[in-house]
């Protein structure tokens, strides 16, 4: 590269720059430049950039570098692409090249150089910044992809090559939000089957001095999860480096760890613990159909679940209940054909007969909630042409008025209404009791109902995962069942990202402690009623044995 002249006037400007206002310094530099020919101006401003940078005057090097490029833009004849490449290789490692200058240079190379050469030169420029220990600017991924596409390089290959260089050069922790956002998926791909890269990724935790460090950290965790790093990370990593992580990402990584991170909590028994409820199908007992009406539904495969695990059999009964409840929901669906094909499988036909018998008993019980539940299933069956033998035999429908009177005599159970759970809550929620604290969770929020007050709703983990959030008077926890045992995370709220979870070796064995039933005298009742919780349903039984309320807590459980 041609050495720059001495420019004694420039030396004087730089010497006094620390004492003068920035505008005055820039005017002084521009005044020296007025006497120079256009061909020399890029060299002059580049020399000014060097001297300001050497003097530690951080406000001026980027400005001077941009002025040099402005001259070349206004006077294309003075531009030399080979010299310009050397200029960027010199100044990028100094950290003085403005992002816009780099972006403009990418466009210039794309227009002036063969595609392959432009791509190669840009990678050399980026590498010069990586070698100096930093990422040159935020938009390096889009610009790399632009040049790579012109050079015939596949997008995935270009992304992965750049992500690998970021990882191997050690500059990734200090990268910006935009770089992490572009890099997280290719990082996950390249580290999936490469032990060295996976180890480097695990060590690439983002620097803590970024304003967006929490969001960037989530992208780091997402890349680790994509790379299935949980299968290899040591157990202590989960208790230290993974603290205060986004719920979905931490749970995903813990699940990847499998038996390498064994639960330490008490064993869970879905058969014996009434607080546990399995909702493996992901559906609710409402009018939402199971979509078994499709012509290609394999009812033989569905019936095979009867020979599966206990949770599969319970989930199948829930699905059958939902299927029957949803018969006739859509006007353009051939439910008659769907029900006929369902009943053509002997095992399913027998199961439905058994469930019909149960609904008939509920219809005759004299309980208003039980009557409603039964009719909501028996009526759609009758309307769809269900004519199995003995369907109507012994059918006894309780007098609704008599059932209503029994319900009223049992007392008004409006106290069971949950504060804050109003019309705005449209998704399944979780209700978990721990001692005197009842925690209600929905969507990504939860609130605690205590004897003395209702705490304001705050951010929590997604309500559809795990057993739910619960509170002990000081700390909120989130429990679930993993590998047949309870596993509990501490819950906190990050002001920038929302709920975060921490897996602590001391508290992950905890579980909520709550009774499965209690007595309560509701207003207007002659005697206490029994409120019980079992398998996701709150049931209120009056003193005379009549069920006066049946409240499914939609989706509650693991």
């Amino acid at each position: 590269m041609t050495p720059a002249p001495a420019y004694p006037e420039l030396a004087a400007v730089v010497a006094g720059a620390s004492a003068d206002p920035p505008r005055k310094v820039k005017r002084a530099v521009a005044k020296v430049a007025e006497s120079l020919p256009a061909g020399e101006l890029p060299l002059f401003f580049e020399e000014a950039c060097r001297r300001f940078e050497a003097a530690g005057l951080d406000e001026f090097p980027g400005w001077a570098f941009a002025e040099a490029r402005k001259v070349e833009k206004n006077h294309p004849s003075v531009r030399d692409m080979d010299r310009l490449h050397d200029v960027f290789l010199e100044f990028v490692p100094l950290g003085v090249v403005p992002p816009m200058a780099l972006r403009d240079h990418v466009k210039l190379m794309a227009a002036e150089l063969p595609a392959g050469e432009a791509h190669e030169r840009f990678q050399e420029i980026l590498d010069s910044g990586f070698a100096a220990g930093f990422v040159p600017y935020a938009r390096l991924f889009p610009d790399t992809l632009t040049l790579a596409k012109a050079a015939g390089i596949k997008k995935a290959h270009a992304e992965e090559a750049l992500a690998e260089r970021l990882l191997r050069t050690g500059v990734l922790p200090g990268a910006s939000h935009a770089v992490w956002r572009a890099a997280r998926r290719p990082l996950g791909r390249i580290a999936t089957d490469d032990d060295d890269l996976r180890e480097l990724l695990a060590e690439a935790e983002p620097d803590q001095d970024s304003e967006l460090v929490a969001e960037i950290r989530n992208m780091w965790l997402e890349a680790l999860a994509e790379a299935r790093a949980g299968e290899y990370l040591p157990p202590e990593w989960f208790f230290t480096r993974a603290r205060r992580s986004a719920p979905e990402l931490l749970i995903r990584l813990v699940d990847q760890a499998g038996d390498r991170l064994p639960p330490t909590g008490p064993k869970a028994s879905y058969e014996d613990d009434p607080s546990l409820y399995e909702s493996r199908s992901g559906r609710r007992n409402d009018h939402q159909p199971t979509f078994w009406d499709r012509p290609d539904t394999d009812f033989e495969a569905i019936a095979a679940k009867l020979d599966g695990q206990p949770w599969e059999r319970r989930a199948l009964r829930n699905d059958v209940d939902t299927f029957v409840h949803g018969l006739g929901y859509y006007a353009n669906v051939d439910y008659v054909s769907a029900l006929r094909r369902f009943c053509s499988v002997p095992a399913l036909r027998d199961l439905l007969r058994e469930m019909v018998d149960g609904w008939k008993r509920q219809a005759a019980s004299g309980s208003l909630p039980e009557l409603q539940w039964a009719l909501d299933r028996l009526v759609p069956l009758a309307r769809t042409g269900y004519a199995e033998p003995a369907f109507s035999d012994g059918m006894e429908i309780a007098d609704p008025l008599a059932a209503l009177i029994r319900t009223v005599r049992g007392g008004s159970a409006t106290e069971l209404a949950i504060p804050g759970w109003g019309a705005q809550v449209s998704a399944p929620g979780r209700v978990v009791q721990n001692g005197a604290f009842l925690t209600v969770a929905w969507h990504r929020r939860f609130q605690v109902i205590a004897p003395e007050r209702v705490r304001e709703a705050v951010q929590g983990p997604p309500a559809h995962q795990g057993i739910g959030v619960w509170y002990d008077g000081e700390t909120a926890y989130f429990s679930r069942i993993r590998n047949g045992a309870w596993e509990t995370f501490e819950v906190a709220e990050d002001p920038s990202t929302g709920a975060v979870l921490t897996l602590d070796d001391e508290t992950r064995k905890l579980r909520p402690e709550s009774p499965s039933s209690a007595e309560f005298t509701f207003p207007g009742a002659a005697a206490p009623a029994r409120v019980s919780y079992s398998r996701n349903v709150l049931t209120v039984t009056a003193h005379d044995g009549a069920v006066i309320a049946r409240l499914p807590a939609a989706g509650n459980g693991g």
Side-chain angles (χ1 to χ4, degrees):
M1 183 180 298
T2 305
Y7 302 121
E9 303 93 332
L10 179 60
V13 173
V14 173
S18 60
D20 293 331
R23 184 176 298 178
K24 181 179 179 181
V25 175
K26 292 177 181 179
R27 281 202 304 265
V29 174
K31 185 172 181 60
V32 176
E34 290 175 355
S35 62
L36 300 175
E40 192 176 334
L41 286 175
L43 295 174
F44 168 74
F45 282 111
E46 288 160 9
E47 180 61 19
C49 179
R50 290 187 190 92
R51 296 191 184 187
F52 281 126
E53 192 278 332
L57 300 170
D58 297 337
E59 190 168 354
F60 304 107
W63 167 81
F65 189 90
E67 288 296 304
R69 309 289 74 79
K70 189 183 299 183
V71 171
E72 293 170 335
K73 185 176 183 179
N74 294 332
H75 302 277
S77 61
V78 307
R79 189 167 55 214
D80 181 324
M81 294 301 294
D82 290 335
R83 191 195 78 84
L84 198 53
H85 184 58
D86 291 337
V87 167
F88 275 87
L89 289 177
E90 175 190 356
F91 285 94
V92 165
L94 300 178
V96 298
V97 178
M100 187 54 66
L102 272 164
R103 301 221 69 196
D104 288 343
H105 189 55
V106 169
K107 297 175 184 176
L108 181 63
M109 289 191 296
E112 299 289 335
L113 299 174
E117 183 178 354
H119 178 265
E120 183 178 342
R121 285 192 174 190
F122 183 56
Q123 300 312 300
E124 291 178 5
I125 292 170
L126 293 181
D127 285 341
S128 69
F130 300 159
F134 65 92
V135 178
Y137 73 126
R139 298 282 295 175
L140 74 169
F141 267 91
D143 287 347
T144 291
L145 295 180
T146 297
L147 296 178
K149 181 179 180 181
I153 301 172
K154 292 183 177 180
K155 177 183 177 181
H157 293 167
E159 287 178 328
E160 291 168 6
L162 181 52
E164 182 172 348
R165 295 212 306 283
L166 287 166
L167 201 52
R168 291 193 182 280
T169 55
V171 299
L172 190 59
S176 68
H177 185 279
V179 172
W180 271 102
R181 187 174 63 247
R184 67 186 190 275
R185 288 192 173 88
L187 284 169
R189 293 196 300 267
I190 63 175
T192 298
D193 298 315
D194 189 308
D195 294 343
D196 291 338
L197 292 180
R198 190 165 46 240
E199 184 175 345
L200 288 172
L201 182 58
E203 294 299 321
E205 184 173 2
D207 291 342
Q208 298 298 311
D209 57 356
S210 169
E211 293 182 1
L212 300 174
V213 64
E215 295 179 24
I216 296 174
R217 189 170 178 277
N218 281 345
M219 290 187 277
W220 170 60
L221 293 171
E222 183 180 347
L224 285 171
E226 287 295 318
R228 299 199 59 80
E231 297 177 359
Y232 305 92
L233 291 167
E236 59 268 20
W237 183 90
F238 293 92
F239 307 130
T240 54
R241 304 283 289 276
R243 298 179 69 85
R244 296 181 62 82
S245 297
E248 298 94 329
L249 297 174
L250 180 55
I251 287 173
R252 187 177 172 189
L253 287 162
V254 169
D255 285 343
Q256 290 173 2
D259 293 338
R260 296 176 53 255
L261 191 65
T264 59
K267 291 295 182 181
S269 172
Y270 286 96
E271 301 295 336
D272 303 325
D273 191 339
S275 68
L276 298 180
Y277 171 72
E278 295 161 305
S279 182
R280 304 295 181 104
S281 66
R283 300 187 183 94
R284 302 163 60 191
N285 277 328
D286 55 17
H287 287 292
Q288 184 178 355
T290 60
F291 301 108
W292 285 353
D293 52 84
R294 293 169 177 164
D296 60 348
T297 300
D298 188 345
F299 286 109
E300 293 286 354
I302 292 172
K305 296 179 181 179
L306 289 168
D307 298 323
Q309 297 296 320
W311 70 263
E312 292 180 291
R313 297 193 292 272
R314 290 192 292 268
L316 177 57
R317 294 181 69 91
N318 183 67
D319 285 343
V320 172
D321 185 284
T322 306
F323 173 60
V324 173
H325 195 193
L327 291 173
Y329 184 71
Y330 294 116
N332 62 340
V333 173
D334 186 358
Y335 290 105
V336 174
S337 175
L339 183 59
R340 186 181 298 119
R341 289 186 292 111
F342 174 92
C343 291
S344 68
V345 180
L348 294 179
R349 183 173 64 248
D350 292 344
L351 174 61
L352 182 55
R353 285 176 180 169
E354 177 189 333
M355 295 177 70
V356 166
D357 288 341
W359 295 327
K360 288 164 65 175
R361 288 192 296 272
Q362 286 180 292
S365 68
S367 161
L368 191 62
E370 297 288 306
L371 175 61
Q372 178 185 356
W373 184 275
L375 292 181
D376 279 347
R377 284 137 184 88
L378 295 174
V379 171
L381 274 175
R383 287 176 175 171
T384 314
Y386 181 75
E388 286 292 300
F391 174 49
S392 59
D393 292 352
M395 181 80 74
E396 181 182 345
I397 305 298
D399 182 351
L401 180 57
L404 175 60
I405 292 173
R406 291 189 71 185
T407 299
V408 172
R409 286 175 175 170
S412 174
T414 56
E415 282 79 0
L416 293 179
I418 297 172
W421 197 310
Q424 76 278 12
V425 179
S426 59
R430 298 288 190 271
V431 179
V432 182
Q433 181 185 359
N434 179 56
F437 301 98
L438 184 70
T439 305
V440 183
W442 66 94
H443 293 293
R444 292 178 178 270
R445 299 184 69 78
F446 72 91
Q447 65 182 165
V448 179
I449 303 170
E452 66 278 5
R453 69 186 181 99
V454 177
R455 299 171 60 92
E456 181 181 356
V458 297
Q459 288 286 335
H464 65 276
Q465 296 182 351
I467 302 301
V469 179
W470 53 281
Y471 187 67
D472 69 353
E474 295 182 356
T475 305
Y477 296 96
F478 173 78
S479 293
R480 65 172 186 156
I481 305 301
R482 184 172 72 89
N483 292 349
W486 286 78
E487 182 173 65
T488 295
F489 302 80
E490 296 179 14
V491 180
E493 187 175 16
D494 187 283
S496 59
T497 62
V500 291
L501 298 185
T502 294
L503 189 64
D504 187 276
D505 202 26
E506 294 298 320
T507 60
R508 68 185 180 119
K509 60 187 177 182
L510 301 178
R511 61 155 293 174
E513 297 296 335
S514 59
S516 60
S517 66
E519 287 193 347
F520 188 86
T521 302
F522 293 102
R530 183 167 57 87
V531 182
S532 63
Y533 175 84
S534 180
R535 309 301 177 204
N536 197 46
V537 176
L538 276 173
T539 302
V540 182
T541 306
H543 60 279
D544 64 353
V547 175
I548 62 173
R550 179 186 172 93
L551 306 170
N556 190 42

